Amino acid sequence: MTFVNEDNITDLAVERWATAHNPRLAQLMTALVRHVHNFAREVGLTEDEWMAAIEWLTETGKISNDKRQEFILASDVIGLSTLVVQLNNRFTAEATPATVLGPFYIDGSPPAKFGHDMSDGLPGIPLFITGKVTDIEGSPIPGAVLDVWQADAGGVYEAQIPEIDEARLRAKYQAREDGTYCVRTIAPRGYQIPMDGTVGHLIQKTRISEFRPAHVHFLIDEPGYVKLITHLFQEGADYLDSDVVFGVKDALVVPFTEQRPGTGPDGGVMNEPFLVAHYDFTLQYA
């Protein structure tokens, strides 16, 4: 019988997890065991530190729900989410870069027509985002659906407001036959990630900036193409070079150009100044 000691515990644990029925699960778990054990050895992990980590994970689970995913936020701020995105979305140079999903995505946003105002009267500077959805050869993708969500002019998502239990600043826009789309909304504000939970408490123990630059999220999932999850960031926004979730890419930074009152990109009359951003989304073939 082989008894456990400090020198053989890793090999014994790896041997046990190698018996997983699924080969991929066996690969994942044996690698995880090796790396976690090596981490503990490298830092000389104490029992108090180990228990603090267990308690942190427990509290993270308790505050996570269908509107707030603290584990995703934790993955985001250590750069793991962005790394996984990069490993799994090695697009061609022509394709729009992918970014993180973020912790505030909610499935089931309402459908919206070309130029629909998803701000629904919320205060803020009107913003139109226009462009086309194409493949990497430049051909339009008729009827492509753009799932859009964002923070409000104060930098807050509805998931952070307890008294709101409906979709706000979210919509699924359908591109026209020529691939063109038009989103009408309000200019988002860069914001502080939620600091009242376990991730925020950990961030407070560092000099890490807890802010994200102003952005709008997009998800496009069309048959025959790789699902695209990405952001558009406002050119000149604060925190572009210190995004707490490592989501900014040069190709996704676009100007929000101010326009005088007049005709908007949707063909409607605008009685106040508004902003226009233009971006063509290019999808990678599956």
Side-chain angles (χ1 to χ4, degrees), residues 82-99 136 226-229 249 282-286:
T82 291
L83 175 59
V84 172
V85 167
Q86 299 307 305
L87 292 173
N88 288 273
N89 295 275
R90 292 185 170 124
F91 295 163
T92 63
E94 296 83 5
T96 298
T99 59
I136 58 175
V226 179
K227 179 167 68 175
L228 174 66
I229 298 171
K249 293 179 170 61
T282 304
L283 303 188
Q284 174 93 17
Y285 297 122

Side-chain angles (χ1 to χ4, degrees), residues 48-109:
D48 286 344
E49 290 166 342
W50 172 81
M51 181 53 68
I54 295 297
E55 292 173 349
W56 188 89
L57 291 168
T58 301
E59 289 304 311
T60 300
K62 286 180 179 178
I63 65 174
S64 297
N65 53 43
D66 60 345
K67 294 181 71 175
R68 175 174 181 170
Q69 235 306 349
E70 195 78 357
F71 278 113
I72 291 181
L73 184 60
S75 176
D76 288 350
V77 300
I78 65 171
L80 181 59
S81 299
T82 291
L83 175 59
V84 172
V85 167
Q86 299 307 305
L87 292 173
N88 288 273
N89 295 275
R90 292 185 170 124
F91 295 163
T92 63
E94 296 83 5
T96 298
T99 59
V100 296
L101 180 68
F104 294 113
Y105 174 72
I106 300 175
D107 193 17
S109 294

Side-chain angles (χ1 to χ4, degrees), residues 176-198:
R176 298 188 293 194
E177 284 301 304
D178 61 356
T180 58
Y181 71 91
C182 179
V183 173
R184 180 175 174 180
T185 181
I186 54 175
R189 181 181 177 184
Y191 60 83
Q192 183 186 55
I193 62 170
M195 297 296 287
D196 60 340
T198 50

